[in-house]
Amino acid sequence: MACSTKKDSFLSRNSHALSTKYNILYNGQIGFDKGVASVKANTKDNFWKRLPIEIMQVNDELIPGEKPKNADFELAETKATKAIQKHSMNIDGREKNTQIDEAYLLLGKSRYYDQRFIPALDAFNYILYKYPNSNNIYEARIWKEKTNLHLGNDANVINNLEHLLEDYKPKKQIFADGNAILAEAFLNLEEKDSAVTKLKLAEKNTSVNNEKARYRFILGQLYEELGKIDSAIDFYQTVIDLNRKVDRKYIIQSYAKRASYFDYQNGDMDLFVKRYKKIMKDRENHAFLDVIYYHMGIFYDKNNNEELATEFYNASLMAKSADPYLVASTYRNLGNMHFKRADYQNAAKYYDSTLVKLDNKSREFYRIDKTRKNLDEVIKLEDIATRNDSIIKIVSLPEADRKLYFENYIAQLKEADKAKKISEEKLKAKLAAIEQNSKSNLDNQNPSNQQTEKTGQKTAIMPPANTDAATKEKTSLFYFYNPTTVAYGKLEFRKTWGDRSLSGNWRLSSNKTEGMNAPTSDTEIAPSENKIVEEKENKEYNLDYYVNQLPESQAIVDSIVKERNFAYFQLGIIYKEKFKENQLASDKLEKLLQFNPEEKLVPPTMYNLYKIYQITDANKAEEMKIRISSQYPNSRYAQIINNGTSSDDSLNDTPEKVYNKYYRLYEEERFTSILEKIDSLIEQFSGDEIVSKFELLKANTIGKLYGLVEYKKAMQYVADNYPTKEEGKYAQEIITTQIPVLEKMVFSMNETKNWKIIYRINTQDNESANAIEESIRKFIADENIERLYYSCDIYTGKESFITIHGIKSEAYAKSVATLLKDNKKYAIGLPAIVISSENYKIIQIKKNLESYLTYSKQ
């Protein structure tokens, strides 16, 4: 009697309601709660950015209408659907089962968390349409607007929710959820002040402590973005005050945020250290040691305590953080520390590690990648400067002092080798003791080993059982369970035997192809090692070995000095322009002036020092200005610093503006003007990234004026000198792909429908050029049946062509040339050259008109 969904009786209504609530929806709610917990557990918050108010990562790649991805939400949706299908009592247009609205609400929420927002919206709308008197009506409206938020209807969400929360007074938690949704909608519209107001209401009314902590943390982030640092710090402190009531991640990240705003000038350093030591000792925080160590590293880094900063940064890396940006930031900071110490080799390695962890589409990635590429050039130049400085210093010493210098070096080398041998012997002894100790420990743990030894039976070596910490500590002493000893053993084996394959009789001499000159028996080991040591002693402990490597002729020494000076100049410019390291730049440039370099380097060096001193030391800037004005009064640099401007715009404008100016000249085919100035521009901007662009422009200009052979040489120069730059790679591509095709181009007399008439003109002879142009214009105006036209084309720096285009046959071209020569109205005295379009292209590419004239006669 109670099973009917068509009878509106007390028994039927309550039977179906009880079955729906305590059977189907109960199990569905368990699945839903489990799914929500998994969503929150799998959502990784990025505390480096503003947190989203809701803990759910939306996957934009999901296909609308696709089957649910989460089994828990699928279960909840199935149960809700079952409750609606089997227990709905729609009688006379009204629902008699009081639990069906609960089923629709569960259905909508399950679809929402499975990120199928349109079906979810249908479920919430059905509640609002069919159950206007439901006690879940406010919650359904909140979830509807929550869904609309993900569909991009931010303005409608704000309008609907503000009216709802003003007109009605729902439960506190629903009120909190509504204000949280409003805050997120305002943030989507970049209305941060309104978002702060709504989020404060949400934080005040929510009864969930984790939500309270999250809202407070986001409020701190919003105040940071609004520039109200004191308010931000206050909110972070309120998160910390929640202590054990909330997830530990919010507490630790709030400590980290407060640490980032520590006042390093007036703050209490001792109190800061004391507080963070206490945080580190707290066992509850051990899962977040990577974050704590990182911020302690920043603290010591900003206090210029590099030793402790490095220690804490390395500790953060050893903590194996799951946060890739934290790891990247740690590597970046370590790289910056090495860079400041001018340790560019190690800085480059740390920057490489940074780039591996960073998002390759982020701005920071491009910035660090640019710095890293610049470091390649800096490392190369620093190596040149250091090596050449050393050579010059030794060469300049008297012979007796030079001998003493090398003798001291050899003595230090012997001491170092002796210390190395002693340390190796100690390590071998220690390893032997460890192996013996581990053997005895294994015997104690497994008495059967002793019986095995007695009976002579062999047993396989098994890994130690993972019983407890004490057992692990003992068994880790065994040779093959210690990675350090295993690595050492491998090195010793390779040193003795070479690279041997895993095959039988590997000691035999027939296997020497594997190990090259490896000894075949134990008796040969010591003599071969002694031989290597003797050879080293005879070579590196011999004074003549070093003396013979020194340059003998003054010409070689002068070239080394010149290379060293230019390296210092380039380093100074790179530090100034690319890295904005004024102190490093001034050190290099000041030292360069002390070397009395070649004259062409002195004015630009002094000018760049003057620009640096304008920032760092006004008195030095004035002194340098006087020096430039007195020593080089007619230079372009003196004109700039004295008058503020120069007739040469290239000294006043940025490198990019200068390049754009000359590129426009290239497009206008003013090739001679470019070549007249481009070498001085390359010298002026030496060390700047723009130089490779100028070199490529120069190569293209040379190709336009001097032909394929010179073009290939110029492109090869760019490829050789700038292999890591885009211009160098482009030049190499031209050399390997395009130039071989152009070199294969040859003249032909094949029939074609495109012909030209050309007149050779001396570039300086403007009068003849104007006369020929005037005659051609008259001819085209009088007899332009074929719609001819002409152009003035550059050929070389000394010659150009006046070319008539649009001719369809060779015969017609010859008749036009004859008419222009014989008709007194035009009377062009210069010989005309009739040529096909294909051959004309070849002579412009290869600059071989004389070869074409010989070919056409033949």
Side-chain angles (χ1 to χ4, degrees):
M1 291 174 61
C3 291
S4 174
T5 60
K6 300 299 181 182
K7 291 182 180 181
D8 185 11
S9 64
F10 175 83
L11 185 60
S12 292
R13 290 195 303 271
N14 285 282
S15 174
H16 283 290
L18 285 171
S19 182
T20 303
K21 180 175 181 180
Y22 291 111
N23 186 359
I24 302 175
L25 291 186
Y26 173 78
N27 289 303
Q29 189 65 42
I30 289 175
F32 175 77
D33 292 339
K34 187 178 176 183
V36 172
S38 68
V39 166
K40 291 183 178 180
N42 294 327
T43 300
K44 303 298 181 183
D45 284 322
N46 182 2
F47 286 91
W48 300 97
K49 297 180 180 179
R50 188 209 306 151
L51 294 181
I53 292 174
E54 183 183 24
I55 306 176
M56 186 175 77
Q57 291 178 342
V58 177
N59 186 355
D60 295 329
E61 297 179 0
L62 287 177
I63 301 171
E66 192 177 13
K67 187 179 178 181
K69 299 291 184 183
N70 189 306
D72 295 317
F73 294 129
E74 185 176 9
L75 172 64
E77 184 175 352
T78 302
K79 293 295 183 182
T81 305
K82 181 179 179 181
I84 295 166
Q85 289 175 343
K86 292 200 171 186
H87 295 281
S88 176
M89 298 180 65
N90 196 334
I91 300 172
D92 296 330
R94 294 185 63 186
E95 180 61 55
K96 302 299 182 177
N97 187 342
T98 57
Q99 294 297 314
I100 297 301
D101 59 334
E102 296 280 357
Y104 275 107
L105 188 61
L106 179 61
L107 179 65
K109 288 197 229 177
S110 301
R111 290 172 173 176
Y112 173 87
Y113 273 108
D114 221 33
Q115 300 183 26
R116 293 180 298 127
F117 298 117
I118 293 176
L121 194 63
D122 290 339
F124 298 133
N125 280 330
Y126 194 83
I127 298 173
L128 300 176
Y129 174 67
K130 281 288 187 179
Y131 307 98
N133 298 321
S134 169
N135 58 352
N136 293 314
I137 195 71
Y138 296 127
E139 188 174 359
R141 291 184 69 176
I142 294 292
W143 278 93
K144 175 188 174 182
E145 301 310 329
K146 204 172 182 180
T147 309
N148 273 322
L149 197 67
H150 288 289
L151 295 174
N153 302 322
D154 300 307
N156 289 336
V157 169
I158 293 170
N159 185 52
N160 295 338
L161 277 181
E162 283 191 330
H163 286 302
L164 173 66
L165 298 177
E166 285 175 6
D167 296 341
Y168 304 98
K169 294 297 179 184
K171 295 177 183 178
K172 288 187 69 175
Q173 186 58 49
I174 296 176
F175 184 75
D177 292 342
N179 279 288
I181 296 166
L182 273 173
E184 191 158 5
F186 279 122
L187 288 177
N188 291 342
L189 297 175
E190 294 296 324
E191 297 180 21
K192 294 179 182 176
D193 289 326
S194 299
V196 166
T197 303
K198 297 302 179 183
L199 198 55
K200 283 182 178 179
L201 289 172
E203 184 273 329
K204 183 178 179 181
N205 287 277
T206 184
S207 58
V208 182
N209 284 328
N210 275 333
E211 286 185 0
K212 193 178 289 289
R214 190 177 188 86
Y215 297 161
R216 289 179 181 181
F217 192 88
I218 296 171
L219 282 166
Q221 291 179 311
L222 288 172
Y223 276 119
E224 276 188 77
E225 294 175 14
L226 293 170
K228 300 176 181 179
I229 304 303
D230 291 338
S231 298
I233 292 173
D234 290 341
F235 271 102
Y236 291 134
Q237 183 58 49
T238 60
V239 178
I240 295 170
D241 293 340
L242 289 171
N243 203 3
R244 291 182 174 85
K245 296 178 182 178
V246 298
D247 286 347
R248 207 68 190 163
K249 62 182 180 180
Y250 297 116
I251 307 295
I252 298 301
Q253 293 295 340
S254 296
Y255 274 119
K257 285 289 188 180
R258 289 206 59 184
S260 64
Y261 288 108
F262 180 73
D263 187 351
Y264 289 93
Q265 293 182 345
N266 305 314
D268 189 335
M269 304 283 185
D270 295 334
L271 181 62
F272 182 94
V273 173
K274 183 178 179 181
R275 180 188 297 124
Y276 269 81
K277 282 184 177 179
K278 183 179 178 181
I279 296 170
M280 281 186 278
K281 289 179 181 178
D282 191 340
R283 290 177 60 85
E284 292 181 272
N285 300 332
H286 283 188
F288 305 96
L289 285 176
D290 54 337
V291 179
I292 300 168
Y293 288 151
Y294 171 75
H295 284 279
M296 284 299 292
I298 291 178
F299 172 79
Y300 286 113
D301 194 355
K302 290 190 176 180
N303 278 307
N304 298 318
N305 189 335
E306 291 189 358
E307 184 178 352
L308 282 175
T310 302
E311 184 178 335
F312 276 103
Y313 283 143
N314 287 328
S316 178
L317 293 173
M318 292 294 289
K320 305 295 182 184
S321 175
D323 183 350
Y325 189 76
L326 178 70
V327 177
S329 299
T330 308
Y331 280 127
R332 179 202 61 214
N333 293 350
L334 285 166
N336 291 341
M337 288 171 60
H338 284 283
F339 181 85
K340 290 176 183 176
R341 294 200 299 266
D343 183 5
Y344 305 109
Q345 294 280 4
N346 283 321
K349 292 175 183 177
Y350 280 113
Y351 288 145
D352 285 337
S353 299
T354 304
L355 294 172
V356 170
K357 293 292 183 180
L358 279 180
D359 177 10
N360 58 9
K361 295 181 181 179
S362 64
R363 289 185 179 180
E364 188 172 11
F365 179 91
Y366 287 114
R367 182 176 60 80
I368 295 176
D369 186 46
K370 183 179 178 181
T371 302
R372 174 63 186 87
K373 289 176 180 176
N374 290 336
L375 274 180
D376 286 334
E377 192 172 1
V378 170
I379 291 168
K380 177 184 174 183
L381 293 170
E382 285 285 357
D383 286 344
I384 292 172
T386 304
R387 183 188 68 242
N388 290 10
D389 270 335
S390 178
I391 294 171
I392 295 165
K393 177 184 175 182
I394 295 170
V395 168
S396 63
L397 292 173
E399 188 173 349
D401 292 342
R402 194 184 304 168
K403 181 179 178 182
L404 180 62
Y405 176 87
F406 286 125
E407 287 175 349
N408 290 335
Y409 175 76
I410 292 170
Q412 292 174 6
L413 187 63
K414 287 180 178 178
E415 286 294 324
D417 288 344
K418 184 179 178 182
K420 184 179 178 182
K421 288 179 182 178
I422 293 171
S423 64
E424 287 179 354
E425 290 172 0
K426 287 181 178 179
L427 179 60
K428 287 180 181 179
K430 186 177 179 181
L431 292 174
I434 291 172
E435 188 172 357
Q436 183 63 34
N437 189 24
S438 63
K439 183 179 178 182
S440 63
N441 286 335
L442 286 174
D443 289 341
N444 292 334
Q445 293 171 36
N446 189 4
S448 62
N449 286 351
Q450 298 173 3
Q451 183 65 29
T452 302
E453 288 178 3
K454 290 178 182 179
T455 59
Q457 294 177 354
K458 295 182 180 180
T459 58
I461 299 175
M462 299 297 292
N466 295 327
T467 54
D468 54 72
T471 306
K472 288 181 183 178
E473 185 176 354
K474 288 180 180 178
T475 56
S476 66
L477 296 175
F478 181 56
Y479 184 94
F480 289 106
Y481 301 149
N482 189 322
T484 304
T485 58
V486 171
Y488 179 79
K490 288 180 179 179
L491 289 173
E492 285 296 306
F493 180 89
R494 192 176 291 110
K495 178 179 177 183
T496 304
W497 297 99
D499 293 325
R500 294 290 175 116
S501 62
L502 294 174
S503 59
N505 300 322
W506 57 269
R507 287 174 178 258
L508 297 180
S509 59
S510 60
N511 283 340
K512 280 189 177 183
T513 55
E514 301 284 346
M516 297 306 292
N517 296 323
T520 58
S521 67
D522 293 343
T523 57
E524 296 180 15
I525 296 174
S528 64
E529 288 183 353
N530 290 335
K531 186 177 180 181
I532 294 171
V533 173
E534 287 174 4
E535 287 178 356
K536 180 181 178 182
E537 288 177 353
N538 292 335
K539 184 179 179 182
E540 297 187 10
Y541 295 167
N542 192 333
L543 181 64
D544 293 337
Y545 170 73
Y546 300 100
V547 173
N548 292 338
Q549 293 186 59
L550 293 175
E552 297 179 356
S553 68
Q554 187 60 40
I556 296 175
V557 175
D558 290 342
S559 67
I560 292 172
V561 171
K562 185 176 180 181
E563 186 183 33
R564 186 272 313 272
N565 292 346
F566 191 61
Y568 268 85
F569 177 74
Q570 286 181 298
L571 285 169
I573 300 299
I574 290 171
Y575 289 142
K576 171 179 173 282
E577 299 294 339
K578 294 183 180 179
F579 297 135
K580 310 301 179 185
E581 292 286 345
N582 290 325
Q583 187 58 49
L584 286 173
S586 60
D587 289 344
K588 293 296 180 184
L589 296 175
E590 287 169 356
K591 205 167 184 180
L592 174 60
L593 290 179
Q594 295 173 8
F595 296 149
N596 294 320
E598 50 270 36
E599 189 70 18
K600 69 175 184 178
L601 291 180
V602 177
T605 300
M606 295 173 71
Y607 176 74
N608 280 289
L609 277 172
Y610 167 74
K611 299 298 287 184
I612 294 170
Y613 291 153
Q614 281 186 314
I615 300 171
T616 60
D617 192 330
N619 293 329
K620 284 187 175 182
E622 189 61 30
E623 291 174 7
M624 187 57 68
K625 179 180 178 179
I626 294 170
R627 284 183 62 184
I628 295 172
S629 301
S630 60
Q631 295 178 24
Y632 303 95
N634 299 322
S635 68
R636 295 173 293 172
Y637 304 102
Q639 294 177 32
I640 294 173
I641 62 176
N642 290 321
N643 304 325
T645 59
S646 170
S647 56
D648 188 350
D649 292 335
S650 66
L651 290 177
N652 300 319
D653 292 334
T654 63
E656 289 74 18
K657 284 186 178 179
V658 176
Y659 174 78
N660 291 334
K661 171 186 172 183
Y662 281 86
Y663 189 77
R664 283 194 296 272
L665 291 179
Y666 177 82
E667 292 178 323
E668 295 168 4
E669 298 189 351
R670 295 169 62 182
F671 304 127
T672 306
S673 301
I674 294 172
L675 289 183
E676 286 174 355
K677 288 285 297 178
I678 201 159
D679 285 332
S680 63
L681 292 172
I682 291 171
E683 181 181 330
Q684 177 183 333
F685 297 121
S686 178
D688 196 287
E689 282 187 347
I690 205 75
V691 170
S692 58
K693 291 183 178 293
F694 278 112
E695 290 283 9
L696 185 62
L697 181 62
K698 178 182 176 182
N700 284 319
T701 307
I702 287 172
K704 292 292 185 181
L705 285 181
Y706 301 115
L708 186 60
V709 175
E710 295 301 320
Y711 178 63
K712 183 177 180 180
K713 291 179 183 177
M715 280 293 180
Q716 191 65 57
Y717 178 85
V718 177
D720 292 342
N721 286 276
Y722 306 95
T724 61
K725 300 289 181 68
E726 290 299 321
E727 292 74 22
K729 294 175 183 177
Y730 174 75
Q732 188 60 49
E733 184 181 355
I734 293 292
I735 293 167
T736 55
T737 60
Q738 296 187 24
I739 288 180
V741 176
L742 298 177
E743 287 175 334
K744 292 178 182 179
M745 294 176 69
V746 294
F747 298 122
S748 70
M749 299 304 289
N750 297 334
E751 291 186 8
T752 178
K753 293 184 178 180
N754 292 300
W755 290 82
K756 302 181 188 296
I757 302 171
I758 59 176
Y759 295 96
R760 301 172 69 176
I761 303 294
N762 189 309
T763 306
Q764 304 298 325
D765 191 358
N766 293 328
E767 186 175 344
S768 298
N770 292 334
I772 292 173
E773 282 188 65
E774 182 62 28
S775 297
I776 293 173
R777 277 197 294 268
K778 286 181 182 179
F779 171 76
I780 291 174
D782 294 342
E783 303 184 33
N784 195 6
I785 301 172
E786 295 288 338
R787 295 186 180 178
L788 307 181
Y789 63 96
Y790 78 96
S791 65
C792 298
D793 302 334
I794 299 293
Y795 180 56
T796 65
K798 296 180 180 179
E799 280 188 304
S800 59
F801 294 148
I802 296 178
T803 309
I804 302 175
H805 307 270
I807 302 173
K808 302 299 182 183
S809 68
E810 183 181 11
Y812 182 64
K814 288 180 178 179
S815 66
V816 170
T818 302
L819 181 62
L820 289 173
K821 177 183 178 182
D822 297 339
N823 193 319
K824 293 180 180 179
K825 188 176 180 180
Y826 312 119
I828 298 178
L830 287 178
I833 302 170
V834 175
I835 187 171
S836 67
S837 295
E838 289 79 4
N839 290 334
Y840 182 74
K841 184 189 294 184
I842 293 172
I843 67 169
Q844 281 288 23
I845 291 171
K846 298 188 176 183
K847 307 300 178 186
N848 56 350
L849 178 59
E850 299 300 331
S851 299
Y852 172 75
L853 295 175
T854 304
Y855 170 80
S856 62
K857 288 177 182 178
Q858 292 174 350

